[in-house]
Amino acid sequence: MFKLSRWAQALFLATILTSTLMAADSADPWKKSDLMTVDQLKSQLPDVKAGKVTLIHVGFRKLYAQGYIPGTQYGGPGNKPEGLADLKKVVEKIPHSRAIIIYCGCCPWDVCPNIRPAFRTLKQMGFTNVKAVEIPDSLASDWAAKGYPLTRGE
């Protein structure tokens, strides 16, 4: 029988643990019903404007400054601890049953570094009505190119 030294055993276990944690972190934290399309978001804009829905951008400040969906609050980049801390501040006084929609649009959906950690954080905080906008390529090509409204600046 093959026997590993204690050092090799520790290294092996550390590798397995790291791989498991990385896989868990990259896994989608939502159900299909937690997602919405850009067209569905556009239809929700009157509710955002009326204050019935909280819309939060969880991407990079530079992208937000270039243009964001009207009624959006900036929540910070979801891939950074300080961004998630900013997101927590944005939602700290919101009832946990309130509708919250998050979006990023920095890059293709499958590799977005911000949306998954932000969604996961809101769910861990106890929010029960969180939706993520599935933006296939980018906010520019999937929202702005359709002629949907953007607010510039800030």
Side-chain angles (χ1 to χ4, degrees):
M1 182 170 176
F2 182 72
K3 188 169 183 178
L4 295 174
S5 69
R6 287 204 184 273
W7 182 86
Q9 288 174 0
L11 181 61
F12 178 73
L13 289 174
T15 301
I16 293 205
L17 179 60
T18 301
S19 297
T20 302
L21 290 173
M22 288 175 62
D25 192 48
S26 65
D28 291 340
W30 46 67
K31 300 177 289 214
K32 188 161 179 60
S33 61
D34 295 326
L35 301 177
M36 65 176 19
T37 66
V38 292
D39 295 328
Q40 290 169 321
L41 173 57
K42 184 173 182 300
S43 73
Q44 291 283 309
L45 290 182
D47 288 339
V48 170
K49 186 175 182 178
K52 297 176 185 175
V53 174
T54 300
L55 181 61
I56 305 171
H57 184 266
V58 295
F60 303 106
R61 170 68 72 182
K62 185 175 182 177
L63 179 64
Y64 181 78
Q66 291 172 354
Y68 55 90
I69 298 168
T72 298
Q73 297 181 52
Y74 182 65
N79 73 330
K80 299 185 180 302
E82 57 273 16
L84 294 175
D86 290 344
L87 175 61
K88 289 176 181 180
K89 287 178 192 170
V90 168
V91 300
E92 70 185 350
K93 295 182 180 172
I94 295 175
H96 284 176
S97 60
R98 182 178 182 86
I100 297 175
I101 301 172
I102 61 171
Y103 72 96
C104 181
C106 68
C107 58
W109 174 257
D110 293 339
V111 295
C112 178
N114 299 305
I115 199 78
R116 287 162 186 81
F119 186 91
R120 192 175 288 113
T121 296
L122 292 169
K123 294 303 271 187
Q124 288 170 347
M125 291 177 71
F127 288 95
T128 58
N129 192 4
V130 179
K131 302 280 186 194
V133 182
E134 190 172 1
I135 300 175
D137 293 311
S138 71
L139 191 63
S141 64
D142 297 310
W143 182 270
K146 289 184 170 192
Y148 292 172
L150 278 179
T151 300
R152 303 242 184 241
E154 192 176 315

